[in-house]
Amino acid sequence: MPWNRPLIIIVLVLLLALTWWRLPSSDPEVRRSQLAMGTVVEIVAGGLANERLEKAVSAAFTEIARLDRLLSRYQPESDVSRLSAPVTEVRVAPETAEVIALGLDVARRSQGAFDLTLGRLKGLWAFEEDTPRIPDRAAIREALDGIGPGALTLSGQLVRKRAPSLMVDLGGIAKGYIVDRAAQLLRDLGVSYGAVNAGGDMMLIGQPPERPWRIGIQDPRAKGSVVATVQVSNRAVVTSGDYERFFLRDGQRYHHIFDPKSGIPARLCQSVTVITDSVALGDALATAIFVLGPEAGLDLLADYPHSEALIIAADGSHHASPGWAASVVSP
């Protein structure tokens, strides 16, 4: 998907429903997008000579591809595929161990609202296939048997599963981790400002010269409309919502964010947007808060300094963390 350069660049991210924009720069910039991790990944980089920018962006996409091969459940030799085989322990790569360690921390602090062991349940609902479905209750109960924060343990790079049938799914955190790694590589290669955006999981690097990064948070019930605009630098912005992947059946909305206690789509929120220090953490927190709902979700967020959130509850009411307003700007 090519980039263009109107007076004000506006990118509408359909998958996670964020917008981001700024004025074009007179400095050299590289803007590139390609398919990766099942979505469109967009990278903007500036602050160096054009040749160095091109090399930095190419290196970032190479790193994205490498980590996707390691962390995707669709890659037959990936760590995630090996973890979902009928075994009880797997030695994984350092990167995989890092993702699992963060996921287990959020799982523990959220009392299981975020869960790395929902692979069987997600397979039942088939949201990533052409025809998602509603499983019967017996199948859901079976898929939930043995899951939870204690179902996985990590010792160094050795992951142990409580039962061989447990299926690990890092979809709620791995994409964010990959975005973080790509953004850090850009920094290491001297990029002074830029952005990595994977279907709405965003890391904003530095500050562009003409105008700072601004992110519009989509109204979950009015496509193309925003409920707030935030201004950030060197921060991650992540949104989870019930409008990203869903279907309607008998007037009921069924979406892809599951409550691990019930095995059905969580019902307490329409969307959750988190601003924090890493996209991986933002991914996990946004999912956990969506499941917990506004009150318990804000309690969880208090465990993570430098993290803020806007929660749109199921009834459409807005609930924000104490520091959220500091990032909000007028359009």
Side-chain angles (χ1 to χ4, degrees):
M1 185 171 67
W3 289 79
N4 54 29
R5 296 181 63 115
L7 178 62
I8 297 179
I9 299 165
I10 301 179
V11 178
L12 177 61
V13 180
L14 296 177
L15 291 176
L16 289 186
L18 291 173
T19 59
W20 63 287
W21 64 87
R22 64 180 187 80
L23 294 174
S25 171
S26 58
D27 292 342
E29 282 187 356
V30 169
R31 304 157 182 266
R32 200 184 303 171
S33 62
Q34 66 183 51
L35 289 173
M37 301 183 289
T39 189
V40 175
V41 178
E42 302 159 326
I43 296 180
V44 180
L48 293 173
N50 192 71
E51 183 178 355
R52 292 180 64 190
L53 290 176
E54 291 282 0
K55 290 181 177 179
V57 171
S58 293
F61 275 118
T62 298
E63 178 72 348
I64 287 169
R66 181 185 76 84
L67 291 171
D68 190 29
R69 289 192 297 270
L70 182 67
L71 297 170
S72 171
R73 66 187 179 94
Y74 298 106
Q75 301 285 345
E77 301 301 320
S78 72
D79 278 354
V80 174
S81 292
R82 295 194 300 121
L83 281 166
S84 293
V87 296
T88 55
E89 61 180 44
V90 175
R91 187 167 295 278
V92 298
E95 297 92 339
T96 308
E98 190 175 353
V99 173
I100 291 173
L102 175 60
L104 290 177
D105 177 74
V106 178
R108 178 181 58 82
R109 293 177 187 240
S110 68
Q111 299 183 334
F114 180 77
D115 198 314
L116 299 176
T117 60
L118 294 179
R120 284 186 294 168
L121 179 71
K122 291 183 177 181
L124 286 178
W125 285 86
F127 268 95
E128 297 185 8
E129 298 177 12
D130 292 335
T131 55
R133 53 188 175 265
I134 303 174
D136 63 56
R137 291 186 179 275
I140 290 175
R141 284 196 300 270
E142 183 180 357
L144 296 180
D145 184 43
I147 72 163
L152 286 182
T153 58
L154 178 67
S155 178
Q157 292 172 232
L158 185 65
V159 182
R160 291 187 174 90
K161 303 193 306 182
R162 184 158 54 193
S165 60
L166 201 69
M167 294 186 67
V168 174
D169 186 285
L170 303 183
I173 191 170
K175 184 170 67 170
Y177 176 81
I178 294 172
V179 171
D180 286 332
R181 290 291 295 259
Q184 186 57 53
L185 182 58
L186 292 176
R187 295 187 188 98
D188 292 344
L189 293 174
V191 170
S192 61
Y193 71 90
V196 183
N197 174 9
D201 282 13
M202 297 183 185
M203 174 59 77
L204 292 311
I205 303 166
Q207 183 121 309
E210 275 80 14
R211 183 176 179 181
W213 304 107
R214 289 188 172 185
I215 314 298
I217 312 304
Q218 181 174 307
D219 185 332
R221 293 296 181 264
K223 185 177 179 179
S225 298
V226 299
V227 296
T229 301
V230 296
Q231 184 171 299
V232 296
S233 177
N234 293 313
R235 300 281 274 162
V237 182
V238 177
T239 291
S240 289
D242 66 4
Y243 51 86
E244 299 156 8
R245 282 178 282 166
F246 73 95
F247 63 91
L248 299 174
R249 183 79 54 84
D250 299 326
Q252 179 70 57
R253 180 184 296 257
Y254 295 91
H255 56 84
H256 71 295
I257 306 171
F258 299 104
D259 184 339
K261 292 183 178 179
S262 66
I264 65 173
R267 300 297 187 199
L268 298 178
C269 296
Q270 295 180 11
S271 73
V272 176
T273 298
V274 174
I275 300 175
T276 190
D277 292 331
S278 84
V279 187
L281 177 59
D283 267 346
L285 285 177
T287 299
I289 293 169
F290 192 100
V291 171
L292 290 169
E295 184 176 352
L298 290 176
D299 287 344
L300 171 66
L301 195 69
D303 283 351
Y304 294 90
H306 314 298
S307 298
E308 304 297 341
L310 172 66
I311 304 168
I312 301 181
D315 62 4
S317 59
H318 290 199
H319 307 260
S321 59
W324 173 264
S327 297
V328 176
V329 296
S330 300

